[in-house]
Amino acid sequence: MTTITPQDPELGPTTDNSPAPQENSQVTPEVGLGSVERVRQRLSRELPPEALITDRTRLRTYECDGLLHYRVTPALVVLAHDAAMIQAAVRACADERVPFVARGSGTGLSGGALPHADGVLIVTSQLRTIHEVSPDDQRAVVDPGVINLKVSEASRPHGYYFAPDPSSQQICSVGGNVAENSGGAHCLKYGFTTTHVLSVDLVAPDGETVTLGTRAPDAPGYDLLGTVVGSEGTLGVATSVTVRLVRTPETVKTLLAGFRSTDDAGAATSAIIGAGIVPAAIEMMDALAIEAAEAAVSCGYPAGAGAVLVVELDGPVAEVDHEFAQVERMCEENGSFERRVAVDDADRAAIWRGRKSAFAAVGRISPDYIVQDGVIPRTALAEVLHQMGELARERGVRVANVFHAGDGNLHPLVLFDESVPGQGEQAEEVSGAILDLCLQHGGSITGEHGVGSDKAKHMPKMFTEDDLDTMQLVRCAFDPAGIANPGKIYPTPRLCGERPGRRTEAHPAQQAGLAEVF
């Protein structure tokens, strides 16, 4: 099938510090982009003036998402207020073959919402209506811009909540959760966003609307909803989401346990999971992450700890009491020197404050940092942490660790100072080497942050060309013009999915026998 490689001199790489879309448009000027100006003129007639941003200074507000290392100023921003405005923007882009990128709250950590320099950024954060909370069938219908935590706040009086809880749940949007298939501390027991989405209203890349899934579970036919959830905006833009609500547990118990080392904390984690206990969450922080959290929020974690575990169990009282006693014993048997049990909700929030602030807290001990996201088998935890420590020492880079220990989802924080020449590149190298470690131990290059712009170059390490081509065929089925979030997920500029723009003749790579058009 497609034979273009990331090293193809004709086409160049798609991801580096320079964003892929810019590189692509420079390398193949013969494949002309559509006219953003014509899109702007059309939308200025169809949308209210306040919905369009063209001022250069205001456009720069949207030049990156939560991954600050990559920045691209969009050509045009559309601040959508409703589904019709999203559809109008996508239709205009489709007619002009102009690339578009959807953005929720902009908290993504893989550059998935990085704008296209020659395209339109469609911002959905102003669609914040919760249309329905139905305790009778445990459903809620929400706009894509609704803040994650707001769904639980609206459901809680009825005895329910929305289970996916990324660290950014106070600001991240449900639409963004759908795009990235977000997880969170409690996905060990409750699963990722895809487990909790029943249907999505979608504006497809050609501007048509479609509803995928149903209010009832297990819709017949191919699982197109499962395909869209986690597709990072490459298959369309969500305009409404029906989510499943989870019953508020009868009781919740939270334990903070201090250990001398990550080895001891990892051994306790393995013992708990090995005993058949499935906590709602098991989170681990190492000494450097604890130092950052203490500096930021004075969380009061055990002094001298080389690692801490936050273990939370929920469910029926009798079951939780029985398993919690086992968890405490296993922590003690594996070297925990201090344990604290939350006595009420305020105490529980105090324990979680250190963990949930960890990413931002690292800013207290380092001017810049990369939040990495990789997955390993839980049984390889100790070995991989050792190897990461050796890697950091060899390269002279500090790495703090905050992660979901129960399912082996690592979040190493690679610290550096961008003002020091070379440190940014060195941190990138270490960050990539950590993903290599994950793959060497049978893991994955991402757990819950997505591939985006940041990890597209690592995809060939995990998948064969046939694998990638098959995925690309799916993308082409939704978006044959290649205008929906181009340059994301896939490392090579395959002709169908990665090439925004109209073609009047065969692509030079196709003529040279280097590639096929899907």
Side-chain angles (χ1 to χ4, degrees), residues 125-414:
S125 61
Q126 297 189 30
L127 281 76
R128 290 193 175 186
T129 300
I130 297 176
H131 294 277
E132 179 187 358
V133 173
S134 174
D136 290 340
D137 60 358
Q138 301 180 220
R139 306 286 187 262
V141 181
V142 304
D143 278 349
V146 168
I147 300 301
N148 173 298
L149 191 59
K150 295 293 183 185
V151 184
S152 290
E153 290 177 353
S155 308
R156 195 165 294 126
H158 305 284
Y160 293 90
Y161 71 106
F162 183 49
D165 62 339
S167 295
S168 57
Q169 71 176 143
Q170 294 184 345
I171 185 62
C172 68
S173 67
V174 173
N177 296 164
V178 171
E180 301 297 329
N181 190 22
S182 302
H186 294 81
C187 65
L188 172 64
K189 181 174 182 178
Y190 293 101
F192 289 75
T193 297
T194 190
T195 309
H196 303 277
V197 173
L198 290 161
S199 75
V200 167
D201 290 347
L202 191 79
V203 177
D206 63 359
E208 295 301 311
T209 60
V210 61
T211 297
L212 302 176
T214 67
R215 194 179 181 97
D218 196 21
Y222 294 117
D223 185 12
L224 296 180
L225 176 64
T227 303
V228 165
V229 177
S231 62
E232 305 189 23
T234 60
L235 305 183
V237 185
T239 58
S240 178
V241 185
T242 301
V243 301
R244 186 198 317 273
L245 302 176
V246 175
R247 186 74 177 169
T248 303
E250 185 179 0
T251 191
V252 179
K253 279 198 168 184
T254 307
L255 171 71
L256 173 68
F259 296 83
R260 295 299 179 195
S261 69
T262 54
D263 281 0
D264 290 346
T269 301
S270 292
I272 293 167
I273 300 295
I277 298 171
V278 183
I282 304 184
E283 299 290 294
M284 190 190 298
M285 297 170 63
D286 69 5
L288 194 52
I290 296 169
E291 176 189 336
E294 292 288 356
V297 298
S298 302
C299 48
Y301 284 176
V308 295
L309 284 183
V310 177
V311 186
E312 190 160 278
L313 282 79
D314 63 15
V317 172
E319 177 184 311
V320 170
D321 286 347
H322 174 68
E323 292 187 339
F324 199 81
Q326 295 183 66
V327 168
E328 284 192 283
R329 176 177 55 78
M330 291 171 191
C331 286
E332 183 178 9
E333 290 174 350
N334 285 282
S336 171
F337 64 90
E338 182 175 335
R339 291 171 298 285
R340 301 177 196 165
V341 180
V343 296
D344 54 29
D345 286 346
D347 213 22
R348 181 173 301 105
I351 288 176
W352 276 106
R353 187 165 59 243
R355 165 60 186 90
K356 294 212 170 188
S357 69
F359 287 178
V362 167
R364 296 294 187 101
I365 61 172
S366 177
D368 301 286
Y369 60 94
I370 296 171
V371 181
Q372 191 51 281
D373 169 47
V375 179
I376 56 171
R378 179 178 40 77
T379 50
L381 201 55
E383 186 176 355
V384 170
L385 289 176
H386 272 298
Q387 291 179 329
M388 282 173 50
E390 291 173 4
L391 181 68
R393 283 190 292 276
E394 287 172 3
R395 306 289 180 90
V397 173
R398 293 188 299 165
V399 177
N401 282 293
V402 183
F403 54 94
H404 311 310
D407 51 10
N409 188 183
L410 307 178
H411 292 313
L413 299 150
V414 184

Side-chain angles (χ1 to χ4, degrees), residues 453-468:
S453 299
D454 188 38
K455 294 183 178 175
K457 60 192 171 194
H458 298 290
M459 288 286 275
K461 299 175 183 175
M462 187 166 177
F463 298 103
T464 67
E465 284 209 355
D466 284 346
D467 292 335
L468 295 171

Side-chain angles (χ1 to χ4, degrees), residues 27-113:
V27 170
T28 56
E30 72 279 3
V31 183
L33 294 171
S35 169
V36 178
E37 176 56 23
R38 284 196 292 273
V39 171
R40 187 199 66 76
Q41 291 174 4
R42 173 171 166 176
L43 292 179
S44 68
R45 295 190 297 270
E46 298 179 359
L47 305 180
E50 64 271 18
L52 300 180
I53 295 178
T54 57
D55 174 74
R56 178 75 180 173
T57 300
R58 293 184 65 198
L59 287 172
R60 290 199 61 188
T61 305
Y62 299 91
E63 65 183 5
C64 65
D65 56 13
L67 185 64
L68 307 182
H69 205 52
Y70 298 85
R71 296 172 187 268
V72 175
T73 304
L76 175 68
V77 169
V78 175
L79 300 178
H81 298 162
D82 55 34
M85 292 175 69
I86 293 175
Q87 185 177 28
V90 173
R91 271 187 171 155
C93 290
D95 290 347
E96 290 293 336
R97 303 291 180 94
V98 165
F100 66 85
V101 177
R103 170 186 166 123
S105 297
T107 57
L109 294 170
S110 62

Side-chain angles (χ1 to χ4, degrees), residues 427-474:
E428 283 274 340
E429 290 176 9
V430 170
S431 183
I434 289 172
L435 293 184
D436 292 342
L437 274 178
C438 292
L439 292 175
Q440 289 165 16
H441 288 82
S444 166
I445 63 171
T446 181
E448 56 186 351
H449 294 178
V451 176
S453 299
D454 188 38
K455 294 183 178 175
K457 60 192 171 194
H458 298 290
M459 288 286 275
K461 299 175 183 175
M462 187 166 177
F463 298 103
T464 67
E465 284 209 355
D466 284 346
D467 292 335
L468 295 171
D469 286 342
T470 302
M471 296 181 204
Q472 191 72 2
L473 285 169
V474 175

